[in-house]
């Protein structure tokens, strides 16, 4: 059972007869005891007259998947199988990160009928959101008390990454169409494939003249080229302890997810094969052999429950796992946080073996606050903070230089700028015929 605020008000109203009868000479404790006894009797009567909440059938309607930060309506339906009208107060028990409203919903359900209440959710965390039960309170006719019951109705929603970087996708797709379709490459680069023939125009590369086609056509014909398709792009996301650091409104691993989704969408549209690996000491997520329209749903579904772990990443095992995804030359994009020489030793030691017959691009998420700290000199504390920031930036540059010496390319940017920069570098490799 439960009691409402009306019971407290009813007991407080007893002060009036207590004062009046006290002035008439009656013993106050008798009047107070009689009033409290009356309130108890009314409360018990109200509980007995309230419809049983256990005679209600409860069902919930929820979507299977939702994007992080989006408002998602869910609903709870009550079917009154009793013989009296149910005045219900409903609480849907979602975990706090689901972003459910704290308001309780009131429903009046006549006998034999069904009513539905809506509960908007706005998730604040990726992964599985679970609700185990729905709590229902049935209020009595006097409104002093009632009965409550807990109905076990288990449902789960998988919260996918927000993919806020998709706003950069239309402009990159336009550049890809220019590169791949409307304006084919005029100069043959390494790894490009034949596209079509056209007439020679002054200024074209004479090395691309097709002499056999020229003899047949009676005019100088030129070969045009386009980037090869069916290339392999392997995206490896570091989920070790360095990825757990907060940068901006999220963590480094969240920024890595945004960059990988933008690159995967672009590469899939370009006709390449995309593989995903999320790794620290073991494989946390793996997507391979999925192409076309099914790629992005498979990636987001695999990424959703994965969060950074407070362990050091085993880089030799990580690159060994990468080599199991494809045996062909590929572009390997490693999204990690290598900004300190001490913590990057294992990564740099394993990088040369991975760079054979492949192109390696290392993307790191940086914090804009470090650069702003390095520019402040207003007080003694700010000078010390600026010195520490300068040291951090210099260490990151040293690690980036070591990556370049090992045969890779390093890109460091803030969470907002990293996804488009990696996508632009992918397009540059396509245009140069290196992919």
């Amino acid at each position: 059972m439960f009691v409402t605020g009306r019971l407290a008000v009813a007991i407080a109203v007893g002060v009036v007869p207590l004062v009046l009868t006290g002035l008439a000479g009656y013993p106050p404790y008798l009047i107070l005891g009689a009033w409290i006894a009356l309130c108890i009797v009314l409360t018990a009567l109200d509980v007995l007259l309230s419809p049983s909440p256990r005679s209600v059938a409860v069902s919930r309607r929820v979507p299977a998947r939702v994007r992080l930060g989006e408002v998602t309506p869910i609903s709870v339906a009550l079917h009154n199988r009793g013989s009296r009208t149910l005045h219900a107060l409903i609480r849907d028990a979602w975990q706090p990160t689901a972003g459910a409203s704290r308001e309780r919903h009131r429903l009046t359900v006549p006998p034999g009928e069904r009513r539905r209440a809506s509960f908007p959710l706005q998730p604040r965390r990726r992964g599985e959101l679970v609700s185990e039960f729905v709590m229902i309170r049935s209020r009595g006719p006097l409104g002093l008390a009632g009965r409550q019951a807990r109905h076990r109705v288990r449902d789960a929603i998988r919260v996918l990454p927000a993919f806020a970087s998709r706003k950069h996708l239309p402009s990159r797709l336009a550049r890809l169409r220019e590169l791949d379709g409307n304006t084919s490459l005029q100069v043959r680069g390494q790894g490009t494939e034949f596209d079509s023939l056209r007439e020679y125009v002054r200024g074209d590369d004479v090395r691309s003249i097709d002499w056999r086609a020229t003899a047949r056509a009676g005019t100088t014909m030129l070969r045009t080229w386009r980037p090869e398709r069916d290339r392999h792009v392997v995206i490896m996301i570091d989920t070790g302890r360095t990825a757990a650091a907060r940068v901006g409104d999220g963590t480094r691993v969240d920024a890595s997810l945004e960059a990988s989704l933008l690159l995967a969408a672009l590469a899939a549209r370009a006709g390449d094969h995309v593989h995903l690996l999320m790794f620290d000491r073991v494989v946390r997520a793996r997507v391979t052999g999925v192409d076309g329209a099914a790629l992005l749903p498979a990636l987001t579904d695999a990424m959703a429950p994965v969060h950074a772990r407070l362990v050091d990443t085993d880089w030799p095992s990580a690159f060994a796992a990468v080599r199991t995804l494809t045996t062909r030359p590929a572009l390997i994009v490693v999204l990690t946080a290598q900004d300190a020489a001490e913590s990057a030793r294992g990564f740099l030691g394993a990088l040369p073996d991975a760079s054979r017959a492949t192109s390696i691009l290392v993307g790191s998420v940086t914090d804009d606050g470090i650069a702003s700290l390095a520019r402040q000199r207003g007080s003694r504390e700010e000078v010390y903070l600026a010195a520490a920031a300068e040291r951090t930036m210099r260490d990151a540059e040293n690690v980036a230089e070591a990556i370049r010496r090992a045969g890779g390319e390093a890109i460091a940017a803030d969470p907002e700028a990293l996804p488009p920069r990696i996508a632009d570098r992918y397009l540059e490799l396509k245009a140069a015929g290196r992919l």
Side-chain angles (χ1 to χ4, degrees):
M1 63 167 288
F2 69 96
V3 296
T4 67
R6 291 188 181 184
L7 179 61
V9 173
I11 293 176
V13 170
V15 175
V16 177
L18 181 65
V19 172
L20 294 178
T21 54
L23 294 176
Y26 292 97
Y29 63 89
L30 292 178
I31 303 301
L32 180 61
W35 183 259
I36 292 177
L38 177 62
C39 290
I40 292 175
V41 171
L42 293 176
T43 300
L45 182 63
D46 211 21
V47 171
L48 292 175
L49 294 178
S50 62
S52 173
R54 299 192 179 278
S55 63
V56 178
V58 182
S59 61
R60 188 192 288 113
R61 182 184 297 170
V62 299
R65 289 168 177 80
V66 63
R67 292 222 175 259
L68 179 67
E70 292 183 356
V71 177
T72 303
I74 67 170
S75 61
V76 174
L78 303 185
H79 181 206
N80 187 3
R81 297 180 297 187
S83 59
R84 289 179 289 177
T85 299
L86 176 70
H87 300 279
L89 186 66
I90 307 171
R91 174 179 174 264
D92 197 2
W94 289 94
Q95 57 204 83
T97 53
S101 174
R102 295 186 177 182
E103 297 181 358
R104 306 296 188 262
H105 289 257
R106 297 183 181 275
L107 278 182
T108 300
V109 188
E113 296 188 12
R114 184 190 302 269
R115 294 292 185 271
R116 188 176 295 276
S118 296
F119 298 84
L121 297 183
Q122 189 172 10
R124 300 191 298 268
R125 181 180 173 86
R126 288 182 294 105
E128 295 287 339
L129 296 179
V130 179
S131 178
E132 297 285 352
F133 63 91
V134 175
M135 186 67 73
I136 298 178
R137 285 183 172 181
S138 173
R139 183 170 52 86
L142 299 178
L144 299 177
R147 287 186 276 182
Q148 68 180 16
R150 171 174 168 169
H151 290 262
R152 180 173 176 78
V153 184
R154 192 183 191 280
D155 284 293
I157 299 177
R158 173 159 288 197
V159 183
L160 307 178
F163 196 14
S165 60
R166 65 179 177 271
K167 63 185 178 183
H168 303 290
L169 188 57
S171 60
R172 272 66 188 179
L173 289 178
R175 291 173 55 187
L176 181 63
R177 285 192 296 268
E178 293 177 1
L179 175 66
D180 193 24
N182 298 336
T183 56
S184 300
L185 294 177
Q186 306 302 312
V187 181
R188 181 175 183 177
Q190 180 184 1
T192 58
E193 61 184 18
F194 174 73
D195 179 45
S196 61
L197 293 170
R198 65 170 176 83
E199 291 188 6
Y200 174 83
V201 178
R202 180 177 294 181
D204 287 337
D205 190 351
V206 296
R207 293 174 297 177
S208 296
I209 295 176
D210 190 321
W211 296 107
R212 291 186 178 180
T214 299
R216 289 194 302 268
T219 184
T220 305
M221 300 299 294
L222 193 78
R223 291 181 180 181
T224 59
W225 310 89
R226 68 178 182 182
E228 291 186 7
R229 294 178 178 269
D230 297 324
R231 302 292 90 186
H232 290 263
V233 178
V234 180
I235 303 173
M236 187 177 72
I237 301 177
D238 176 18
T239 58
R241 62 178 182 83
T242 57
R246 294 199 64 84
V247 179
D249 295 332
T251 61
R252 280 173 167 167
V253 71
D254 294 328
S256 299
L257 298 184
E258 291 290 331
S260 61
L261 287 174
L262 179 62
L263 176 60
L266 188 60
R269 191 66 63 91
D272 291 337
H273 303 287
V274 180
H275 312 269
L276 172 72
L277 185 71
M278 302 183 73
F279 196 96
D280 41 67
R281 289 188 175 275
V282 297
V283 176
R284 301 296 178 184
R286 176 190 173 108
V287 177
T288 185
V290 181
D291 295 310
L295 177 62
L296 281 183
L299 291 178
T300 54
D301 196 57
M303 294 172 176
V306 181
H307 296 275
R309 305 296 181 97
L310 298 181
V311 295
D312 289 324
T313 302
D314 184 358
W315 287 109
S317 299
F319 284 117
V322 167
R323 288 191 291 270
T324 63
L325 297 178
T326 178
T327 58
R328 298 182 179 182
L331 170 64
I332 299 178
V333 180
V334 183
L335 298 171
T336 181
Q338 301 299 330
D339 50 9
E342 294 79 8
S343 61
R345 289 176 181 174
F347 173 75
L348 295 175
L351 190 59
D353 293 335
S355 61
R356 297 172 184 172
T358 60
S359 298
I360 295 185
L361 183 62
V362 181
S364 299
V365 183
T366 60
D367 190 354
D368 282 342
I370 295 178
S372 62
L373 284 177
R375 294 190 295 266
Q376 297 178 6
R377 302 289 193 276
S379 63
R380 181 187 305 173
E381 290 79 6
E382 290 180 350
V383 170
Y384 279 106
L385 288 174
E390 291 283 358
R391 175 63 182 273
T392 300
M393 295 168 61
R394 188 184 67 180
D395 289 344
E397 293 175 359
N398 293 337
V399 173
E401 180 61 28
I403 291 173
R404 286 189 284 269
R405 289 197 302 268
E409 299 181 48
I411 294 179
D414 60 84
E416 184 69 23
L418 183 63
R421 286 192 60 183
I422 291 179
D424 290 342
R425 186 53 185 157
Y426 168 81
L427 292 174
E428 292 171 2
L429 293 174
K430 278 291 209 184
R434 296 172 55 188
L435 179 62

